[in-house]
Amino acid sequence: MRWRILSLLFLARIGLGFQFQTVASVGGDLVVAFGLDYVDIGFLIGLFMAPGLFLAIPAGYWGRYVSDRVMVVFGLSALAAGGAASSLATDSWAIGMGRVFAGIGFLFTSLYFTKMVADWFEGREIATAMSILVMSWPFGIAMGQVGHAWLSQTYGWQVPFQAASVYCLIAALGVFLFYRPPHDLPYADGGKRGAMTTQEWRLILCAAAAWGVFNAAYVTYLAFGPKVLEDHGQSAIAAAGIISIGSWIMIFSGAACGQIVDRFGGRNIVLAVCMGGAIAALPLLSLPGAGFGASMLFGLIGMAPAGVIMAMAGQAMRPQVRAFGMGIFFTVYYAIMLVTPPVAGAILDATGNARGPLWLAMILFATVVPLGIAFQFFKYAPLTGQEKTV
């Protein structure tokens, strides 16, 4: 049953990446239609993430009173409504408002999809399950990269937003009709048992920081890796294609990595090896003719533990407090994701060299390992008397 539920959630979660990719795919058309520049396009892309910084904790708290299924259906419906609003826009600010509303839906769905998988797979192949779930995001983006550009060219820039909205509505209907919670899930009541312990706070902060720096490094690679290749004479299209190889490969390497950790353990050893691969891949981009190999290494090894890191969030808390804890998790994640791109851009402005931001990415990847070690230390540290009674 749990694998059928995971398949349902994977298919539904594709809609997040599919809707996110709309502005990036039709950015050139929006520049022409509304007289924007690419700073404006970047701002519109970023608006998708903005609500998470402010609403993640309230969204997690509301989970004590509203079912996960209702939360996800609301989130997918908000994604659909936001995309529809953007498609009807006659001015750029209206597109932005649609993106903000879609971003609210993105927050709710991201939080509760993760919680649902943690509830179903706690103690049973959770790293594999999280790896599969996480890969729905690049899968949706890849669908958008292929489909949105064609739809925009054939039917106009509005249609990609509408197509993504229809997908999200179908996904919402599917979750509403077919999702069921596990039968043995404890009720999230109040009182002492509804409050996070000191250990759970430490664990979720470690997991959130690891997930945040890992994704911030990945986004820095996607944003500035192509510029490094362009400095070696690659065209913009060819450079983007080479960098995208890593994202395609990680769809498969991520599931394999999760299976390895579930079967054999050794999460921190896997993290150390994979982060070493990610760090090694970034300088390789600077070597003439090594871009393809660097991207292969990055996707096959460096990005493989995405689900393993996400699984730490599910292992950090009891089911009774998992919704609220996920709110903490995503607040930290959004804060790191908000700060990192401007810092990377400032490094590029200061150095005038596209390799500068990649050094920041290397530092961020390296930080994942000590955070994983800290998570394991807090997980198995002796509990205090207060925590034993909670």
Side-chain angles (χ1 to χ4, degrees):
M1 178 66 175
R2 64 185 185 276
W3 293 108
R4 290 198 296 270
I5 292 293
L6 180 61
S7 299
L8 170 67
L9 299 182
F10 178 91
L11 292 172
R13 194 174 181 269
I14 287 173
L16 280 62
F18 200 42
Q19 186 67 269
F20 173 78
Q21 183 62 26
T22 49
V23 169
S25 293
V26 305
D29 296 316
L30 297 180
V31 167
V32 174
F34 298 105
L36 306 178
D37 56 29
Y38 282 97
V39 174
D40 299 322
I41 297 300
F43 179 72
L44 290 174
I45 293 172
L47 282 176
F48 197 81
M49 298 287 184
L53 188 60
F54 307 101
L55 294 178
I57 292 177
Y61 183 78
W62 294 332
R64 296 184 177 187
Y65 309 102
V66 183
S67 72
D68 299 344
R69 182 177 64 169
V70 170
M71 287 294 201
V72 166
V73 169
F74 166 76
L76 289 167
S77 300
L79 278 160
S86 293
S87 75
L88 298 173
T90 57
D91 205 335
S92 58
W93 68 265
I95 297 177
M97 292 300 295
R99 292 292 282 180
V100 169
F101 203 77
I104 294 172
F106 174 73
L107 163 67
F108 276 84
T109 49
S110 295
L111 194 158
Y112 284 95
F113 275 135
T114 306
K115 179 184 180 297
M116 287 170 166
V117 172
D119 289 343
W120 270 99
F121 285 87
E122 183 178 21
R124 299 175 294 183
E125 307 110 343
I126 189 170
T128 301
M130 285 294 184
S131 297
I132 294 171
L133 180 75
V134 168
M135 291 308 111
S136 62
W137 171 255
F139 192 94
I141 289 176
M143 278 178 52
Q145 289 172 324
V146 174
H148 290 334
W150 177 80
L151 288 172
S152 178
Q153 184 178 9
T154 306
Y155 300 106
W157 65 265
Q158 298 90 343
V159 176
F161 288 100
Q162 295 164 0
S165 294
V166 170
Y167 188 100
C168 290
L169 281 178
I170 294 173
L173 180 62
V175 171
F176 180 77
L177 292 176
F178 300 114
Y179 179 76
R180 297 292 182 272
H183 297 297
D184 57 349
L185 185 65
Y187 180 70
D189 57 1
K192 279 189 174 182
R193 295 188 63 83
M196 289 176 59
T197 65
T198 301
Q199 182 194 43
E200 287 171 328
W201 274 98
R202 291 169 178 167
L203 290 172
I204 199 60
L205 290 175
C206 286
W211 184 241
V213 297
F214 179 80
N215 279 275
Y218 174 52
V219 169
T220 302
Y221 164 82
L222 292 178
F224 298 98
K227 297 182 183 298
V228 174
L229 297 179
E230 290 173 34
D231 289 344
H232 290 295
Q234 296 279 358
S235 68
I237 294 177
I242 292 172
I243 293 298
S244 71
I245 291 171
S247 297
W248 285 105
I249 294 176
M250 67 181 281
I251 295 174
F252 305 100
S253 66
C257 185
Q259 186 70 11
I260 289 171
V261 171
D262 279 332
R263 286 181 176 271
F264 305 107
R267 177 181 58 223
N268 289 333
I269 296 175
V270 170
L271 289 180
V273 171
C274 292
M275 293 305 94
I279 293 169
L282 298 182
L284 280 179
L285 287 175
S286 303
L287 301 179
F292 180 82
S295 191
M296 289 281 291
L297 175 62
F298 187 80
L300 187 62
I301 304 297
M303 293 305 297
V308 174
I309 298 171
M310 177 63 86
M312 291 162 59
Q315 297 165 339
M317 301 159 293
R318 292 162 294 143
Q320 297 96 320
V321 297
R322 189 167 285 145
F324 178 75
M326 286 298 177
I328 302 297
F329 178 87
F330 279 102
T331 298
V332 175
Y333 162 75
Y334 281 115
I336 294 172
M337 291 292 287
L338 182 66
V339 170
T340 301
V343 173
I347 292 173
L348 177 58
D349 289 337
T351 62
N353 190 328
R355 288 176 291 180
L358 296 188
W359 283 98
L360 173 63
M362 293 166 65
I363 294 171
L364 293 171
F365 277 130
T367 306
V368 172
V369 177
L371 287 170
I373 294 172
F375 181 91
Q376 183 167 338
F377 173 80
F378 291 130
K379 181 74 172 175
Y380 297 105
L383 298 179
T384 65
Q386 178 184 4
E387 288 173 335
K388 288 179 181 178
T389 61
V390 174

